[in-house]
Amino acid sequence: MAHDQHRQHEHDHPVPEHGHGHGHDHTDMDWAEMAPLLEAQAELYTPLYRQAMTWLAREVTEPGLVVDVGSGPGVVSCLFADAFPGARVVAADGAGPLLERARDRAARLGVADRFGTLTGDLPGVLGELEYPADLMWASQSLHHLGDQRAALVALAGHLAPGGTLAILEGGLPARFLPRDIGIGRPGLQARMHAVEEDSFAKMRASLPGSVAESEDWPALLTSAGLEHTGTRSFLLDLPAPLTDEARAYVTSSLSRLRDRIGDDLEATDRATLDRLLDPGDEAGLHRRQDAFVLVAHTVYTARRPS
Protein backbone atom coordinates (compact mmCIF):
# COMPACT_ATOMS: atom_id res chain seq x y z
CA MET A 1 0.00 0.00 0.00
CA ALA A 2 1.08 3.52 -0.20
CA HIS A 3 1.78 4.76 3.25
CA ASP A 4 -0.90 4.37 5.85
CA GLN A 5 -2.76 7.63 5.62
CA HIS A 6 -3.05 7.13 1.88
CA ARG A 7 -4.21 3.53 1.99
CA GLN A 8 -6.61 4.02 4.84
CA HIS A 9 -9.62 5.05 2.82
CA GLU A 10 -12.32 3.91 5.22
CA HIS A 11 -14.91 4.76 2.58
CA ASP A 12 -14.14 1.20 1.51
CA HIS A 13 -11.74 -0.39 3.99
CA PRO A 14 -11.38 0.79 7.56
CA VAL A 15 -8.05 -1.02 7.81
CA PRO A 16 -5.61 -0.88 4.91
CA GLU A 17 -5.35 -4.06 2.99
CA HIS A 18 -4.01 -3.85 -0.54
CA GLY A 19 -2.00 -1.62 -2.78
CA HIS A 20 1.21 -1.12 -0.83
CA GLY A 21 4.14 0.81 -2.26
CA HIS A 22 2.95 2.81 -5.22
CA GLY A 23 5.76 5.31 -5.31
CA HIS A 24 4.80 7.17 -2.15
CA ASP A 25 6.95 7.53 0.92
CA HIS A 26 6.13 4.53 3.06
CA THR A 27 9.37 4.37 4.99
CA ASP A 28 7.60 5.58 8.15
CA MET A 29 5.22 2.64 8.13
CA ASP A 30 5.92 -0.27 10.47
CA TRP A 31 4.70 -3.12 8.29
CA ALA A 32 5.55 -5.74 10.91
CA GLU A 33 3.16 -3.97 13.27
CA MET A 34 0.47 -3.45 10.62
CA ALA A 35 0.58 -6.95 9.14
CA PRO A 36 -1.67 -8.69 11.70
CA LEU A 37 -4.34 -6.03 11.21
CA LEU A 38 -4.13 -6.37 7.45
CA GLU A 39 -4.38 -10.14 7.66
CA ALA A 40 -7.26 -10.05 10.14
CA GLN A 41 -9.30 -7.81 7.86
CA ALA A 42 -8.62 -9.86 4.73
CA GLU A 43 -9.53 -13.06 6.58
CA LEU A 44 -12.76 -11.48 7.81
CA TYR A 45 -13.59 -10.37 4.25
CA THR A 46 -12.84 -13.83 2.81
CA PRO A 47 -16.52 -14.63 2.08
CA LEU A 48 -16.73 -11.52 -0.10
CA TYR A 49 -13.51 -12.38 -1.96
CA ARG A 50 -14.64 -15.96 -2.55
CA GLN A 51 -17.88 -14.69 -4.09
CA ALA A 52 -15.87 -12.45 -6.40
CA MET A 53 -13.56 -15.28 -7.41
CA THR A 54 -16.47 -17.58 -8.21
CA TRP A 55 -17.81 -14.85 -10.49
CA LEU A 56 -14.38 -14.29 -12.08
CA ALA A 57 -14.00 -18.02 -12.74
CA ARG A 58 -16.92 -17.84 -15.17
CA GLU A 59 -14.87 -15.55 -17.40
CA VAL A 60 -11.38 -16.83 -16.63
CA THR A 61 -11.68 -20.59 -16.64
CA GLU A 62 -8.14 -21.95 -16.36
CA PRO A 63 -5.62 -19.11 -15.94
CA GLY A 64 -1.95 -20.01 -16.12
CA LEU A 65 -0.79 -16.90 -14.26
CA VAL A 66 -2.73 -14.81 -11.74
CA VAL A 67 -1.15 -11.57 -10.50
CA ASP A 68 -2.36 -9.80 -7.33
CA VAL A 69 -1.39 -6.15 -7.82
CA GLY A 70 -0.85 -4.60 -4.38
CA SER A 71 -1.17 -7.88 -2.53
CA GLY A 72 -0.19 -6.89 0.99
CA PRO A 73 0.42 -9.95 3.17
CA GLY A 74 -1.03 -12.32 0.59
CA VAL A 75 -4.30 -13.45 2.12
CA VAL A 76 -6.20 -12.82 -1.11
CA SER A 77 -3.30 -14.06 -3.24
CA CYS A 78 -3.55 -17.41 -1.48
CA LEU A 79 -7.33 -17.44 -1.97
CA PHE A 80 -6.62 -17.14 -5.70
CA ALA A 81 -4.26 -20.09 -5.46
CA ASP A 82 -7.10 -22.09 -3.89
CA ALA A 83 -9.72 -20.88 -6.38
CA PHE A 84 -7.51 -21.66 -9.39
CA PRO A 85 -5.54 -24.79 -8.47
CA GLY A 86 -3.85 -24.97 -11.87
CA ALA A 87 -2.52 -21.42 -11.76
CA ARG A 88 0.76 -19.86 -10.71
CA VAL A 89 0.08 -16.85 -8.46
CA VAL A 90 2.36 -13.83 -8.13
CA ALA A 91 1.84 -11.33 -5.29
CA ALA A 92 3.24 -7.90 -6.19
CA ASP A 93 3.72 -5.20 -3.57
CA GLY A 94 6.04 -2.45 -2.42
CA ALA A 95 6.41 -3.65 1.17
CA GLY A 96 8.93 -6.48 1.46
CA PRO A 97 7.99 -7.49 5.02
CA LEU A 98 4.41 -8.08 3.93
CA LEU A 99 5.53 -10.24 1.03
CA GLU A 100 7.58 -12.32 3.46
CA ARG A 101 4.34 -13.06 5.28
CA ALA A 102 2.69 -13.85 1.96
CA ARG A 103 5.37 -16.44 1.19
CA ASP A 104 5.01 -17.93 4.68
CA ARG A 105 1.24 -18.17 4.22
CA ALA A 106 1.65 -19.87 0.86
CA ALA A 107 4.01 -22.40 2.44
CA ARG A 108 1.59 -23.11 5.31
CA LEU A 109 -1.22 -23.67 2.82
CA GLY A 110 0.86 -25.97 0.63
CA VAL A 111 0.92 -23.76 -2.49
CA ALA A 112 4.49 -22.44 -2.29
CA ASP A 113 5.51 -24.42 -5.37
CA ARG A 114 3.29 -22.21 -7.53
CA PHE A 115 3.49 -18.96 -5.59
CA GLY A 116 5.90 -16.10 -6.23
CA THR A 117 6.37 -12.47 -5.18
CA LEU A 118 7.56 -9.22 -6.76
CA THR A 119 8.78 -6.41 -4.52
CA GLY A 120 8.78 -2.85 -5.83
CA ASP A 121 6.73 0.17 -6.80
CA LEU A 122 3.64 -0.49 -8.85
CA PRO A 123 2.96 -0.74 -11.69
CA GLY A 124 6.63 -0.58 -12.72
CA VAL A 125 7.69 -3.75 -10.89
CA LEU A 126 5.32 -5.77 -13.08
CA GLY A 127 7.95 -5.44 -15.80
CA GLU A 128 9.75 -8.24 -13.95
CA LEU A 129 7.00 -10.75 -14.70
CA GLU A 130 8.36 -13.66 -16.70
CA TYR A 131 5.29 -13.80 -18.94
CA PRO A 132 1.93 -12.00 -19.27
CA ALA A 133 -0.93 -12.61 -16.85
CA ASP A 134 -4.16 -14.39 -17.70
CA LEU A 135 -5.85 -12.74 -14.72
CA MET A 136 -4.73 -9.58 -12.96
CA TRP A 137 -6.43 -8.43 -9.73
CA ALA A 138 -6.06 -4.90 -8.34
CA SER A 139 -7.99 -4.35 -5.11
CA GLN A 140 -8.20 -0.69 -4.10
CA SER A 141 -4.67 -0.04 -5.30
CA LEU A 142 -5.35 2.10 -8.37
CA HIS A 143 -6.67 5.03 -6.39
CA HIS A 144 -3.27 5.41 -4.77
CA LEU A 145 -1.62 6.11 -8.12
CA GLY A 146 -1.64 9.71 -9.28
CA ASP A 147 -2.49 8.93 -12.91
CA GLN A 148 -5.02 6.12 -12.77
CA ARG A 149 -5.61 6.14 -16.53
CA ALA A 150 -1.89 5.66 -17.22
CA ALA A 151 -1.76 2.94 -14.56
CA LEU A 152 -4.54 1.02 -16.28
CA VAL A 153 -2.67 1.23 -19.57
CA ALA A 154 0.40 -0.17 -17.81
CA LEU A 155 -1.57 -3.02 -16.23
CA ALA A 156 -3.22 -3.83 -19.55
CA GLY A 157 0.22 -4.11 -21.11
CA HIS A 158 1.03 -7.04 -18.81
CA LEU A 159 -2.04 -9.06 -19.79
CA ALA A 160 -1.87 -11.96 -22.20
CA PRO A 161 -4.12 -11.69 -25.26
CA GLY A 162 -7.58 -12.60 -24.01
CA GLY A 163 -6.45 -11.99 -20.42
CA THR A 164 -8.69 -10.31 -17.84
CA LEU A 165 -8.06 -7.33 -15.57
CA ALA A 166 -10.30 -7.19 -12.50
CA ILE A 167 -10.27 -4.05 -10.39
CA LEU A 168 -12.01 -3.62 -7.05
CA GLU A 169 -12.88 0.04 -6.53
CA GLY A 170 -15.83 1.79 -4.97
CA GLY A 171 -18.95 0.15 -3.66
CA LEU A 172 -20.63 1.22 -0.41
CA PRO A 173 -19.01 2.44 2.82
CA ALA A 174 -18.72 -0.05 5.64
CA ARG A 175 -21.41 0.28 8.28
CA PHE A 176 -20.87 -0.96 11.83
CA LEU A 177 -23.65 0.66 13.86
CA PRO A 178 -27.36 1.54 13.72
CA ARG A 179 -28.32 5.12 12.88
CA ASP A 180 -29.32 5.75 16.49
CA ILE A 181 -27.00 4.08 19.00
CA GLY A 182 -28.52 5.62 22.12
CA ILE A 183 -25.67 8.02 22.79
CA GLY A 184 -24.70 11.21 21.03
CA ARG A 185 -26.47 12.52 17.94
CA PRO A 186 -28.05 9.95 15.59
CA GLY A 187 -26.32 9.46 12.24
CA LEU A 188 -22.74 9.33 13.53
CA GLN A 189 -21.37 7.04 10.83
CA ALA A 190 -22.98 9.01 8.00
CA ARG A 191 -21.21 12.16 9.19
CA MET A 192 -17.96 10.26 9.61
CA HIS A 193 -18.27 9.01 6.04
CA ALA A 194 -18.66 12.61 4.82
CA VAL A 195 -15.40 13.55 6.55
CA GLU A 196 -13.73 10.49 5.03
CA GLU A 197 -14.86 11.52 1.55
CA ASP A 198 -13.19 14.90 1.99
CA SER A 199 -10.06 13.20 3.32
CA PHE A 200 -9.98 10.87 0.33
CA ALA A 201 -10.29 13.78 -2.11
CA LYS A 202 -7.36 15.52 -0.41
CA MET A 203 -5.32 12.30 -0.57
CA ARG A 204 -5.98 11.96 -4.30
CA ALA A 205 -5.07 15.60 -4.94
CA SER A 206 -1.80 15.27 -3.02
CA LEU A 207 -0.49 12.25 -4.93
CA PRO A 208 2.55 12.82 -7.16
CA GLY A 209 1.38 13.41 -10.71
CA SER A 210 -2.24 13.42 -9.61
CA VAL A 211 -4.73 13.58 -12.49
CA ALA A 212 -8.40 14.23 -11.75
CA GLU A 213 -10.63 11.57 -13.31
CA SER A 214 -14.32 10.84 -13.22
CA GLU A 215 -14.59 7.45 -11.55
CA ASP A 216 -16.24 5.81 -14.53
CA TRP A 217 -14.21 2.62 -14.34
CA PRO A 218 -15.74 0.90 -17.41
CA ALA A 219 -14.85 3.99 -19.49
CA LEU A 220 -11.34 4.13 -18.04
CA LEU A 221 -10.81 0.44 -18.77
CA THR A 222 -12.02 0.97 -22.33
CA SER A 223 -9.65 3.91 -22.75
CA ALA A 224 -6.81 1.56 -21.77
CA GLY A 225 -7.57 -0.59 -24.81
CA LEU A 226 -9.56 -3.22 -22.96
CA GLU A 227 -13.09 -4.53 -23.48
CA HIS A 228 -15.27 -4.04 -20.41
CA THR A 229 -16.89 -7.40 -19.71
CA GLY A 230 -18.72 -7.02 -16.42
CA THR A 231 -19.47 -5.14 -13.21
CA ARG A 232 -20.76 -6.70 -10.02
CA SER A 233 -20.88 -5.83 -6.33
CA PHE A 234 -20.29 -8.30 -3.53
CA LEU A 235 -21.66 -8.09 -0.01
CA LEU A 236 -20.08 -8.85 3.33
CA ASP A 237 -22.90 -9.22 5.85
CA LEU A 238 -21.86 -10.05 9.42
CA PRO A 239 -24.95 -9.40 11.55
CA ALA A 240 -25.06 -8.64 15.26
CA PRO A 241 -24.00 -10.02 17.60
CA LEU A 242 -20.47 -10.12 16.21
CA THR A 243 -17.85 -12.77 16.80
CA ASP A 244 -14.86 -11.74 18.89
CA GLU A 245 -12.76 -11.49 15.71
CA ALA A 246 -15.26 -9.23 13.97
CA ARG A 247 -15.70 -7.08 17.08
CA ALA A 248 -11.93 -6.64 17.35
CA TYR A 249 -11.85 -5.61 13.69
CA VAL A 250 -14.57 -3.00 14.16
CA THR A 251 -12.91 -1.62 17.27
CA SER A 252 -9.44 -1.38 15.71
CA SER A 253 -10.91 0.13 12.55
CA LEU A 254 -12.74 2.89 14.38
CA SER A 255 -9.75 3.48 16.65
CA ARG A 256 -7.49 4.08 13.67
CA LEU A 257 -10.17 6.25 12.10
CA ARG A 258 -10.35 8.30 15.31
CA ASP A 259 -6.60 8.89 15.06
CA ARG A 260 -6.83 9.89 11.43
CA ILE A 261 -9.90 12.12 11.14
CA GLY A 262 -10.91 12.74 14.77
CA ASP A 263 -9.83 16.37 14.67
CA ASP A 264 -12.17 16.99 11.72
CA LEU A 265 -15.25 15.67 13.52
CA GLU A 266 -17.67 17.84 15.46
CA ALA A 267 -16.89 17.88 19.17
CA THR A 268 -20.06 15.95 20.03
CA ASP A 269 -19.28 13.24 17.47
CA ARG A 270 -15.69 13.02 18.65
CA ALA A 271 -16.93 12.54 22.22
CA THR A 272 -19.36 9.85 21.09
CA LEU A 273 -16.61 8.02 19.23
CA ASP A 274 -14.40 8.21 22.31
CA ARG A 275 -17.16 6.61 24.36
CA LEU A 276 -17.55 3.86 21.77
CA LEU A 277 -13.83 3.10 22.00
CA ASP A 278 -13.69 3.15 25.82
CA PRO A 279 -13.46 -0.48 27.06
CA GLY A 280 -14.97 0.60 30.37
CA ASP A 281 -18.03 2.31 28.93
CA GLU A 282 -21.24 0.28 29.03
CA ALA A 283 -22.21 1.85 25.68
CA GLY A 284 -18.83 1.07 24.13
CA LEU A 285 -18.10 -1.28 21.26
CA HIS A 286 -16.46 -3.79 23.57
CA ARG A 287 -19.83 -4.47 25.21
CA ARG A 288 -22.69 -3.43 22.95
CA GLN A 289 -24.60 -6.12 21.11
CA ASP A 290 -25.88 -4.09 18.14
CA ALA A 291 -22.58 -3.72 16.24
CA PHE A 292 -22.42 -5.40 12.83
CA VAL A 293 -20.36 -5.34 9.62
CA LEU A 294 -22.10 -4.54 6.35
CA VAL A 295 -20.13 -3.52 3.27
CA ALA A 296 -20.33 -3.85 -0.50
CA HIS A 297 -17.34 -3.84 -2.86
CA THR A 298 -17.64 -3.43 -6.63
CA VAL A 299 -15.47 -5.34 -9.11
CA TYR A 300 -15.05 -4.32 -12.76
CA THR A 301 -13.65 -6.73 -15.33
CA ALA A 302 -12.16 -6.06 -18.75
CA ARG A 303 -10.48 -8.32 -21.31
CA ARG A 304 -7.49 -7.64 -23.51
CA PRO A 305 -8.49 -8.34 -27.12
CA SER A 306 -7.05 -11.56 -28.49
Side-chain angles (χ1 to χ4, degrees), residues 231-245:
T231 299
R232 185 168 171 183
S233 295
F234 301 94
L235 187 71
L236 179 70
D237 179 13
L238 305 178
L242 292 175
T243 63
D244 290 344
E245 291 80 8

Side-chain angles (χ1 to χ4, degrees), residues 93-294:
D93 202 280
L98 295 181
L99 290 179
E100 289 179 18
R101 296 180 76 104
R103 290 189 291 271
D104 289 344
R105 177 177 289 266
R108 289 197 306 273
L109 296 176
V111 297
D113 60 331
R114 52 190 182 90
F115 190 92
T117 59
L118 286 178
T119 309
D121 285 343
L122 296 166
V125 73
L126 298 179
E128 298 179 21
L129 290 171
E130 295 179 9
Y131 45 91
D134 301 295
L135 173 61
M136 189 170 286
W137 167 265
S139 175
Q140 298 187 343
S141 50
L142 280 166
H143 66 233
H144 294 288
L145 299 172
D147 191 337
Q148 296 171 108
R149 187 182 296 265
L152 284 172
V153 171
L155 295 184
H158 295 293
L159 285 175
T164 290
L165 172 61
I167 62 171
L168 187 156
E169 290 285 350
L172 295 175
R175 287 297 299 260
F176 302 140
L177 294 163
R179 182 191 65 88
D180 191 336
I181 59 174
I183 59 174
R185 179 181 159 209
L188 172 65
Q189 271 207 277
R191 292 189 296 280
M192 290 170 63
H193 287 149
V195 173
E196 293 171 68
E197 291 285 2
D198 289 340
S199 175
F200 182 72
K202 292 175 184 176
M203 181 279 287
R204 281 286 314 153
S206 71
L207 292 175
S210 179
V211 177
E213 294 281 3
S214 297
E215 293 176 353
D216 182 346
W217 292 105
L220 287 169
L221 288 162
T222 300
S223 73
L226 302 175
E227 299 171 350
H228 175 234
T229 52
T231 299
R232 185 168 171 183
S233 295
F234 301 94
L235 187 71
L236 179 70
D237 179 13
L238 305 178
L242 292 175
T243 63
D244 290 344
E245 291 80 8
R247 186 179 300 275
Y249 158 73
V250 170
T251 303
S252 64
S253 298
L254 290 181
S255 178
R256 296 180 66 79
L257 182 58
R258 170 65 173 86
D259 292 341
R260 195 169 64 84
I261 67 166
D263 291 344
D264 296 321
L265 296 174
E266 299 174 2
T268 53
D269 285 344
R270 191 162 55 246
T272 301
L273 184 54
D274 286 342
R275 284 195 64 185
L276 286 169
L277 294 171
D278 182 355
D281 196 311
E282 290 293 339
L285 283 166
H286 295 79
R287 307 188 186 194
R288 61 187 311 132
Q289 295 299 301
D290 59 352
F292 56 87
V293 177
L294 184 64

